[in-house]
Amino acid sequence: MMLSFYILFLVFGIPWTSPTTIKSQNGFTPCEFYPDCQCNKDNESSLYIADCSGLNMTQIRKFPNIIVKLTLRMNSLNEVKNGTFFENRLLRTLDLSFNSINTLWPSSFIGLEQLTELDLQQNSLSRKSLTYSVFASFQSLVYLNLKGNFYQEFQPNISSLVRLKTLKMDFAYKETTILGKQLSNLKRLMRLDLSGFTGNCSIIHLTPQTFQYLPQIHHLNLSMCKIKSVQKGTFDKMKNIISLDLSGNTCLKFQVLENVTIDLQFSAIKILKLNKIHKVFDMNTYLQTSHIRHLNNTAIEEFHLDSNRLQQIESGALKYFPKTLKYVSTRDNMFSIGPYLYDLMSMSIELFDISDMFKAHKEDRHPETCNMNFVCTWHREAQYNENQNIQMKELLFESGQHYHDDNAVTIIPIPYRLKTLRFRSSDSKYKIAAVTLSNNKLERIDVSNNILSQLIGPLKNTKNLKYLNLSSNVCSNISTFFFSPDFNKLEELLLGNNLLGLVLPSDTFGQIFQNLLNLKKLDLSENRISILPNQIFKSQRKLEILDLSSNFLEKIDFKLSHLSHLSYLNLRNNLLTFIDSHTILGINHIVNMSKNLSINLLENRLVCTCSSESFIKWIGSTSVQLVNKYHTFCQLSTGKRILMINIPEIYKRLEKDCTSYEVLISVLVVTILLFFIVLILGFSYRFRWKLRYFYYMVKIRSRSKIPQIDEDENEYMYDAFVSYADEDRLFIHTQLLQTLEKENGIRLCLHKRNFLPGNDIATNITSAIHNSRKTIVIMTYHYLKSYWCMFEFNMARMESIYERNNENVLFLVVFEQISARDFPLHILEVVQSQSYIEFPNDEQGDVVFWLQLVTALK
Ligand SMILES: *[C@@H]1O[C@H](CO)[C@@H](O)[C@H](O)[C@H]1NC(C)=O
Ligand SMILES: *[C@@H]1O[C@H](CO)[C@@H](O)[C@H](O)[C@H]1NC(C)=O
Ligand SMILES: *[C@@H]1O[C@H](CO)[C@@H](O)[C@H](O)[C@H]1NC(C)=O
Ligand SMILES: *[C@@H]1O[C@H](CO)[C@@H](O)[C@H](O)[C@H]1NC(C)=O
Ligand SMILES: *[C@@H]1O[C@H](CO)[C@@H](O)[C@H](O)[C@H]1NC(C)=O
Ligand SMILES: *[C@@H]1O[C@H](CO)[C@@H](O)[C@H](O)[C@H]1NC(C)=O
Ligand SMILES: *[C@@H]1O[C@H](CO)[C@@H](O)[C@H](O)[C@H]1NC(C)=O
């Protein structure tokens, strides 16, 4: 066995121990020609993509001419020797970024006539190395990245790169300057990225001359360029410009917008980014009509105004945005309510992002020093009617703290085409009372990470809503009517990280979610839920994903058998010990219908004990996928936690343990029962006579047919009851009767003569013994054999013990010789302890015998 394994190992290697496979993710394997690098071979062309990044290389070795794309990123290269790539005529993309290259020679790139992309960013190239002849080698270059190289005022002469479409480089000048004339050669240049985010950029003043040689540009990125002013006419010639990014130039302020937008009108502009053109701690800002008026003459689609401390917008200004505008991002601003909200409704935007309102800020690390401070001037212009503002507030939002009129319905204006509204992390503290949205096409709303602590509602006119994110809102109450019937299209509802454990357990009739008939995904994670009522998901027949992770569930109480589309049930990080058989039935029901259900039970308190036996059995056999099954722990009855790796084995062991346990219990129970039965039987046998005696005594007394004897007078009905076997009757009826009754006047009770007819014999015996002073026993072998005689004997014994204070009642007459061996034990005892007389059966002895008998009875 071991041997065959070993041979297998030699022949195939064991795949999961081989390091090759670990590195070969994404199809990369060590290159045949240079194993330190990772290669990916394209099967059609037999050419390689080689990745030699992060290898601390100091020299570029020669590579065979079978590579189309070579990455030498993040090494320690400091020069590219002449002719290094002479043979690599097939190379199309070369990445030399993040090295320390400071020297390039005129023939460094010779041979790369076909190269289309060259990345040299973040090196130490300077004026000396970036000569005209270095670039002259390239005839096909389309993409060139030179960022993070030169920190001094320098523009490389790249006029030979006539096919270049994308240029990224530093542009750091202390004084106003223009982009070199050599760029006018680059007729195909579309994209110019000078952004200071990824390199060094400093263009103090933009004038109509700055970009005079680049009228054809499509995409211009001037973010973080320390721009202080933009003169009218700067972008005037760029009729093809599609995107313009002026973000991060904190000295520009909104006042620059007029000069920019006036140039952009009638251009092809689609994307305008003006994020953070104010400083972090500037005064709050006011967007005026004049700033954006000219955009009316564009077909702009995206407009970004993030991080501008924007608080108010001039009434009517928004109407100048053309109908083409689809996406507005105004994140991280300080909006207050104003009449501009009415203008919103007429905007044609589809995506509106107003997240991160009132976010806390840190001052910039290196704040720019701006020449002048225009910011205060807007205050005068911006005075809007305070009264109007209050009315707006009343109309639009009801802040729970101020407002308590529950009947007031708030109408929120929504741009009529808006599909996505993002209002995340905005510190908004509202109790959502009755709210109706204006007519809308909203499909997605994200209001996560606010403080919407009470969702009372109803929220109406959400007829198109498919996605609603209400997570992280410290929400502790959802009313049963918050989700109005208008929510019937909702497919995804995220309520994670709230406090719904306070309200969901009391939703006994499943009213909260009852209108969400199309819900496919429901996230209730991190809500401190300890229990979910049976009916809570009664309407969610289409539910596919249910996330209940990170709650306090100890057991699953809610009904789930009707969730036939369920494909993922996340119960991670709860307090479950096992899944009860009722829920298992429900899950099996789902599996039978969809055959595709995963359950996550990680980080629970699963136990592998006798109580969870059937659960373990189910886990081992079910077709439900357990997420990360082999990382699920369960606790044994000994307290030890084990990984549930081999479930059938765990079950087998459990089955054995629990069976022997069961057997033990049943054996114990039976034993105890038997013990008690034996005990009872033993006792009743031991005290059989006593019990019988009392039984008959009770019977006699209750019938009281036999006259009661006056105990005080100590008088009995008979002097003696004669107990004898029928076989000995001759002696009794002749001698005994004759001698005792006739001659000596002793009243005898004989069963033949004195028993009351009609009474049963046992009662008769007992009562006769009871009513006689003595009981004479005529002991013979016949006597010992007779059942009734034994009865009489024992009853007399009981009588003497329980009724006569141990006074001797029995008078034994041993009529014939009986050997001691033949006496039953209890008779022998009496025979030995008590006086008895033997019947002598001779003339003289008889006289003495009768004398003794008479004396004893009188
Ligand atoms: C760039 O170099 C070429 C060739 O040496 C020269 O003709 C041209 O004038 C240079 N352009 C600039 C702006 O220096
Ligand atoms: C250029 O950028 C580097 C790193 O980003 C920085 O150290 C350097 O000071 C910058 N130079 C100028 C002139 O901005
Ligand atoms: C401009 O460059 C910055 C930094 O690379 C980038 O974040 C930004 O998205 C670019 N702007 C545009 C419009 O592409
Ligand atoms: C707008 O352009 C005019 C004329 O070119 C210029 O005087 C003014 O300073 C510019 N405004 C800003 C804010 O740059
Ligand atoms: C915007 O321009 C269009 C024509 O291009 C014009 O009809 C419309 O009235 C303008 N809008 C405003 C608010 O001036
Ligand atoms: C939740 O809101 C409803 C409706 O306003 C209210 O009746 C109920 O008392 C609230 N429950 C809690 C726990 O605050
Ligand atoms: C099973 O569900 C998963 C998602 O949980 C899905 O990706 C997969 O396609 C489904 N498979 C079948 C056969 O339905």
Side-chain angles (χ1 to χ4, degrees), residues 24-35:
S24 75
Q25 285 160 359
N26 313 324
F28 278 89
T29 50
C31 303
E32 290 145 33
F33 45 87
Y34 189 6

Side-chain angles (χ1 to χ4, degrees), residues 460-488:
K460 286 190 179 154
N461 213 357
T462 51
K463 295 199 172 71
N464 297 298
L465 201 62
K466 291 197 174 123
Y467 169 98
L468 179 58
N469 189 345
L470 283 161
S471 43
S472 304
N473 264 304
V474 206
C475 176
S476 58
N477 194 3
I478 301 186
S479 74
T480 52
F481 45 85
F482 176 76
F483 295 110
S484 68
D486 291 350
F487 277 93
N488 69 350

Side-chain angles (χ1 to χ4, degrees), residues 545 567-568 594-598:
I545 298 174
S567 65
Y568 185 42
S594 74
K595 296 189 170 50
N596 191 13
L597 173 64
S598 309

Side-chain angles (χ1 to χ4, degrees), residues 296-297 319-320:
N296 187 28
N297 296 317
K319 290 188 174 141
Y320 286 87

Side-chain angles (χ1 to χ4, degrees), residues 124-286:
S124 307
L125 296 167
S126 60
R127 187 187 299 270
K128 265 181 281 164
S129 40
L130 288 174
T131 57
Y132 178 83
S133 44
V134 167
F135 295 106
S137 312
F138 304 113
Q139 280 158 27
S140 314
L141 210 60
V142 169
Y143 174 98
L144 177 62
N145 192 341
L146 290 171
K147 280 199 163 182
N149 275 296
F150 28 97
Y151 308 141
Q152 70 280 63
E153 305 187 343
F154 167 60
Q155 294 180 51
N157 185 344
I158 51 170
S159 57
S160 60
L161 304 176
V162 291
R163 288 167 188 264
L164 204 63
K165 284 189 180 158
T166 302
L167 176 61
K168 303 188 174 203
M169 65 170 188
D170 301 321
F171 193 80
Y173 282 80
K174 291 205 179 67
E175 299 300 323
T176 303
T177 190
I178 61 168
L179 270 158
K181 187 155 189 266
Q182 16 99 16
L183 291 182
S184 62
N185 253 13
L186 313 184
K187 294 277 187 285
R188 302 190 184 176
L189 192 63
M190 300 284 158
R191 198 177 282 269
L192 179 62
D193 179 357
L194 302 176
S195 170
F197 283 116
T198 45
N200 292 54
C201 187
S202 158
I203 326 173
I204 309 301
H205 300 291
L206 298 189
T207 66
Q209 286 76 44
T210 311
F211 301 110
Q212 62 179 325
Y213 299 115
L214 287 171
Q216 81 281 18
I217 207 82
H218 282 45
H219 304 276
L220 185 57
N221 197 334
L222 298 171
S223 52
M224 281 286 273
C225 278
K226 305 187 177 73
I227 304 169
K228 304 256 187 300
S229 72
V230 179
Q231 280 186 19
K232 221 173 264 172
T234 303
F235 308 109
D236 197 20
K237 302 259 163 45
M238 302 178 183
K239 290 298 170 220
N240 294 321
I241 193 161
I242 293 171
S243 75
L244 175 63
D245 193 342
L246 286 166
S247 307
N249 297 296
T250 53
C251 289
L252 285 180
K253 325 287 181 204
F254 283 158
Q255 79 237 348
V256 83
L257 289 178
E258 190 164 359
N259 281 2
V260 173
T261 54
I262 205 164
D263 285 358
L264 291 178
Q265 58 181 335
F266 311 117
S267 74
I269 192 79
K270 290 212 162 65
I271 302 172
L272 186 55
K273 282 199 179 183
L274 296 158
N275 300 333
K276 199 166 181 194
I277 54 174
H278 286 87
K279 287 194 200 170
V280 172
F281 292 125
D282 273 357
M283 300 292 285
N284 282 1
T285 58
Y286 180 62

